[in-house]
């Protein structure tokens, strides 16, 4: 009996050690969190003595892949694994990556890194220049109004200042009749999403057209615009913050001209990389 009791005790001890070992290994999380302290250091390894490779500011949204023993969370930082103190994070309440909603999950003023951390869609183009203008472009397939599109984020000095959907990313040229058809279809979708309170500008001069519809919303404007000004057709849904360049301080035609110039600026940047 003593042999049997000793054997049983040994088995129990073995299982206890195994279970304890499992609890001290990394646990998968795959969840978004928000930095809840003024500054959160990112370390090379899950240890307070490990090398600091960077830091995150309060409000930064991070995706935690796993937790490590000792109160550490594993994230991706500058393309490599990094570790931050779990105590400096506040949970987002979602265990899976959800598609962000413009002007709700992603807003003007967010930094390049904040937007990049929050986006879940396929990255098409990434250009970062903290001193001038940066871009993040995502391939949406047919997720917006059931049309193929790219979603472009524009940053000036690291801050998000403009966003637009590009419904003609291949820069095809469309005849006026087809361009008008696209415009009417998108305008109808825009009215469903943003409401029937809008103003518009329609200009046609021979083969050259400028059609635009603008909705003034809470703190930002949304402008649907189509043109064939540059030898190809531009079809965009453009979000910009209300400010000194808003619709209240310029004519509809001037506003649309400025927006198209921003899109063309992006296209030239894209062609050089």
């Amino acid at each position: 009996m003593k042999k049997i009791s000793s054997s049983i005790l040994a088995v129990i001890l073995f299982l206890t050690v195994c279970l304890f070992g499992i609890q001290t290994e990394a646990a998968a999380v795959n969840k978004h969190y928000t930095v809840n302290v003024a500054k959160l250091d990112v370390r090379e390894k899950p240890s307070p003595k490990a090398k600091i490779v960077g830091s995150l500011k309060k409000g930064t949204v991070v995706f935690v892949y796993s937790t490590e023993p000792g109160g550490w969370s594993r994230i991706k930082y500058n393309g490599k694994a990094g570790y931050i103190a779990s105590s400096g994070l506040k949970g987002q309440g979602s265990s899976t990556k959800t598609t962000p909603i413009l002007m709700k999950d992603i807003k003007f003023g967010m930094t390049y890194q904040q937007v990049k951390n929050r986006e879940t869609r396929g990255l098409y183009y990434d250009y970062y220049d903290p001193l001038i203008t940066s871009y993040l472009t995502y391939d949406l397939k047919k997720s917006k109004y059931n049309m193929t599109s790219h979603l472009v984020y524009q940053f000036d000095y690291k801050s998000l200042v403009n966003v637009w959907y590009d419904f003609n990313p291949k820069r095809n040229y469309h005849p006026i009749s087809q361009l008008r058809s696209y415009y009417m279809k998108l305008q109808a979708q825009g009215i469903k999403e943003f409401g029937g309170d809008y103003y518009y500008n329609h200009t046609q001069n021979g083969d050259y057209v400028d059609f635009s519809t603008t909705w003034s919303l809470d703190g930002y404007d949304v402008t649907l615009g189509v043109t064939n000004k540059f030898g190809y057709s531009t079809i965009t849904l453009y979000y910009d913050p209300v400010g000194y360049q808003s619709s209240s301080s310029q004519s509809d035609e001037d506003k649309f001209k400025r927006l198209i110039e921003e899109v063309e600026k992006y296209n030239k940047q894209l062609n050089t990389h």
Side-chain angles (χ1 to χ4, degrees):
M1 290 296 294
K2 287 183 179 180
K3 285 186 177 180
I4 295 175
S5 298
S6 298
S7 299
I8 293 174
L9 182 61
V11 171
I12 293 173
L13 181 61
F14 175 76
L15 291 174
T16 302
V17 171
C18 290
L19 288 172
F20 179 77
I22 290 173
Q23 290 175 348
T24 58
E25 292 178 354
V29 176
N30 295 325
K31 184 176 178 180
H32 283 101
Y33 289 85
T34 301
V35 175
N36 201 33
V37 293
K39 179 184 177 184
L40 189 59
D41 290 331
V42 181
R43 297 183 182 271
E44 195 172 42
K45 295 180 180 180
S47 168
K49 296 181 180 180
K51 178 182 177 181
I52 296 176
V53 295
S55 63
L56 302 173
K57 294 181 179 180
K58 186 174 183 179
T60 301
V61 177
V62 295
F63 188 77
V64 174
Y65 292 91
S66 63
T67 55
E68 303 284 341
W72 296 93
S73 294
R74 182 171 67 88
I75 65 171
K76 182 179 285 187
Y77 187 80
N78 288 339
K80 297 181 179 180
Y83 298 88
I84 54 180
S86 301
S87 59
L89 299 176
K90 180 180 179 181
Q92 295 293 293
S94 173
S95 60
T96 58
K97 288 186 176 183
T98 57
T99 302
I101 301 173
L102 281 183
M103 304 300 108
K104 180 180 179 182
D105 301 314
I106 295 180
K107 300 179 181 180
F108 294 118
M110 290 179 67
T111 66
Y112 166 93
Q113 194 61 52
Q114 286 176 328
V115 173
K116 193 172 184 179
N117 289 342
R118 185 62 186 87
E119 261 294 350
T120 60
R121 290 164 282 204
L123 184 61
Y124 176 81
Y125 179 66
D126 183 349
Y127 177 77
Y128 181 65
D129 186 341
L131 299 179
I132 309 178
T133 303
S134 303
Y135 298 101
L136 286 171
T137 304
Y138 294 85
D139 189 352
L140 305 192
K141 305 302 180 183
K142 292 189 176 182
S143 62
K144 184 66 175 179
Y145 298 162
N146 199 33
M147 290 182 64
T148 299
S149 63
H150 284 173
L151 176 58
V152 183
Y153 295 102
Q154 178 186 350
F155 304 83
D156 282 350
Y157 305 104
K158 300 182 182 181
S159 180
L160 182 62
V161 293
N162 292 306
V163 185
W164 66 87
Y165 291 95
D166 184 350
F167 294 104
N168 187 29
K170 293 185 178 180
R171 306 286 167 260
N172 297 321
Y173 181 84
H174 300 292
I176 292 178
S177 59
Q178 190 174 16
L179 201 58
R180 187 188 298 274
S181 177
Y182 280 131
Y183 174 73
M184 298 303 293
K185 176 183 177 181
L186 291 170
Q187 186 189 55
Q189 293 290 338
I191 292 173
K192 289 181 181 179
E193 182 174 1
F194 307 115
D197 186 10
Y198 60 88
Y199 52 92
Y200 63 90
N201 177 64
H202 295 167
T203 302
Q204 180 173 347
N205 184 8
D207 294 331
Y208 168 71
V209 297
D210 272 345
F211 299 149
S212 66
T213 300
T214 298
W215 293 266
S216 291
L217 304 175
D218 186 15
Y220 64 97
D221 291 342
V222 179
T223 299
L224 166 65
V226 302
T227 183
N228 53 8
K229 181 178 180 179
F230 301 103
Y232 56 83
S233 299
T234 299
I235 308 172
T236 57
L237 187 67
Y238 198 104
Y239 296 66
D240 67 311
V242 172
Y244 72 95
Q245 293 180 325
S246 70
S247 57
S248 62
S249 61
Q250 58 187 323
S251 69
D252 299 349
E253 187 175 353
D254 289 342
K255 176 183 177 64
F256 180 59
K257 180 180 178 181
R258 179 183 65 81
L259 301 184
I260 292 300
E261 287 175 350
E262 292 295 339
V263 175
E264 179 61 11
K265 174 183 173 183
Y266 160 77
N267 290 335
K268 290 181 178 178
Q269 177 67 38
L270 187 64
N271 290 335
T272 61
H273 289 81

